[in-house]
Amino acid sequence: MRIAIHPDKMTLGQAAAAEGAQAITQAIEDDGEATIILATGASQFEMLDALIRQPIDWSRVTAFHLDEYVGISPNHPASFRRYLRERVCDRLPDLRDFIMIAGDAHDIGAEVERLTDAISERSVDVCFAGIGENCHLAFNDPPADFNTDAPYIIVGLDDACRRQQLGEGWFPSLEDVPVRAVSMSIRQIMKSRKLVVSVSDSRKAEAVRHAFAGSVSPNYPASILQQHVNASIHLDGAAAALLKVAAD
C-alpha cells in the first residue's frame, strides 16, 4: 500500500486519475480490453473529471460501479446511476459498456444475480474507490463482512453512513435517506488488480487514521486495503491530518 498526500483536491484528483489511466492503458495493451470499477460521492468529483480527459481508448473499457441505494430511481438527485451518467457516460460516448446497478429493480434479488453473473465473467483491472466517514468501503458499513464471496450483496446502512449522505446534500432529510443498498462486497473489491483510492476533507481524517494507521478490522472496513498488493491511497492534507499523530 502506497500513500500520497497532495496539497489540494485538484492535484489529488489529477494524480489518482493519471495513475489509474496508466493501468487501464496497460491492460488494454496486454489484453485488448479493460474492466474498471468506479466509485461515487463528493470525494470522486475531481478524479472523475480528470479521468475522462485521459488519452484512453474508452471503446475497449467496460465499467461497473460500487453501489446503489435500494428503491432509488435513476433520475433521483442522489442516484449513483444518475451521478455516473452525468459525470462519465454522457461525456464518454465511446465507452464500451457501463453495467449499472438497478437499485429500483422490482426483484432486487434477481438484480444482484444479474450483476454477479456479469462481473464473475471478468477480471477487474482497476478499482477507483473512496472511504466513508465511518470508514466504510463501498456501502460495507462496520462491522463489514470480510468473508462473503458474493460479488454484490444487499446491505443495511448505519446511522453514520446515512448522516454522511444527508450532510453532503444528497437528501433533504435523514428520513429520506434509504436504509438499504446494493454494494460490491469487500472480497470482490479486493480482487481488483489495482486499487486507486481518493480521500479528501477533514471529516474523513478519523476514518483515514483507522484505515491506514491502525490494525485491520471489520469495525474499520477500509482497513482491509492494507492487505492489497497494489493499492495507492491519494489524500489531501486535511484527510491526512491525523496520520502523523498516529505515527507519533
Side-chain angles (χ1 to χ4, degrees):
M1 188 178 70
R2 298 172 300 280
I3 296 178
I5 301 174
H6 304 281
D8 53 57
K9 294 180 185 180
M10 187 65 69
T11 306
L12 185 165
Q14 291 170 346
E19 183 176 10
Q22 183 178 23
I24 294 170
T25 299
Q26 187 63 56
I28 293 171
E29 291 178 3
D30 292 344
D31 304 323
E33 63 178 352
T35 299
I36 67 173
I37 298 166
L38 295 179
T40 54
S43 64
Q44 305 299 305
F45 289 157
E46 292 79 12
M47 189 285 295
L48 287 174
D49 187 62
L51 182 64
I52 65 169
R53 302 175 190 275
Q54 294 290 321
I56 296 169
D57 183 355
W58 292 105
S59 68
R60 296 177 180 268
V61 177
T62 297
F64 290 78
H65 65 129
L66 282 171
D67 42 32
E68 178 63 285
Y69 301 105
V70 169
I72 290 287
S73 79
N75 294 317
H76 189 285
S79 166
F80 294 142
R81 282 173 289 171
R82 176 175 177 172
Y83 175 115
L84 290 165
R85 184 178 70 244
E86 294 176 349
R87 290 174 173 81
V88 178
C89 298
D90 289 351
R91 300 170 69 184
L92 292 177
D94 294 334
L95 181 66
R96 174 183 285 183
D97 196 11
F98 205 133
I99 299 172
M100 298 282 192
I101 302 169
D104 59 343
H106 177 71
D107 186 339
I108 198 65
E111 174 63 4
V112 169
E113 290 180 8
R114 180 187 73 86
L115 296 164
T116 293
D117 290 343
I119 204 164
S120 295
E121 296 174 350
R122 297 179 168 274
S123 295
V124 176
D125 298 294
V126 188
C127 174
F128 296 91
I131 70 173
E133 293 177 26
N134 65 349
C135 209
H136 70 204
L137 185 60
F139 265 147
N140 296 286
D141 287 336
D145 187 343
F146 281 3
N147 297 316
T148 183
D149 288 316
Y152 282 92
I153 55 178
I154 300 172
V155 297
L157 303 182
D158 71 14
D159 187 64
C161 174
R162 295 175 66 237
R163 288 188 181 280
Q164 177 183 333
Q165 311 313 313
L166 175 64
E168 290 183 357
W170 301 110
F171 295 92
S173 72
L174 186 62
E175 290 71 26
D176 292 307
V177 183
V179 297
R180 293 195 304 159
V182 176
S183 177
M184 187 172 288
S185 69
I186 294 291
R187 284 199 171 186
Q188 180 62 45
I189 293 168
M190 292 291 283
K191 288 180 181 178
S192 303
R193 292 172 178 169
K194 183 176 185 63
L195 289 171
V196 179
V197 181
S198 301
V199 190
S200 57
D201 293 332
S202 59
R203 61 193 174 87
K204 301 285 185 73
E206 188 71 19
V208 165
R209 181 176 69 83
H210 284 299
F212 308 128
S215 59
V216 175
S217 167
N219 292 323
Y220 305 106
S223 66
I224 195 70
L225 297 173
Q226 297 178 37
Q227 298 182 349
H228 197 277
V229 298
N230 189 15
S232 293
I233 315 301
H234 293 268
L235 309 172
D236 68 358
L242 299 181
L243 286 181
K244 185 178 186 302
V245 174
D248 291 346

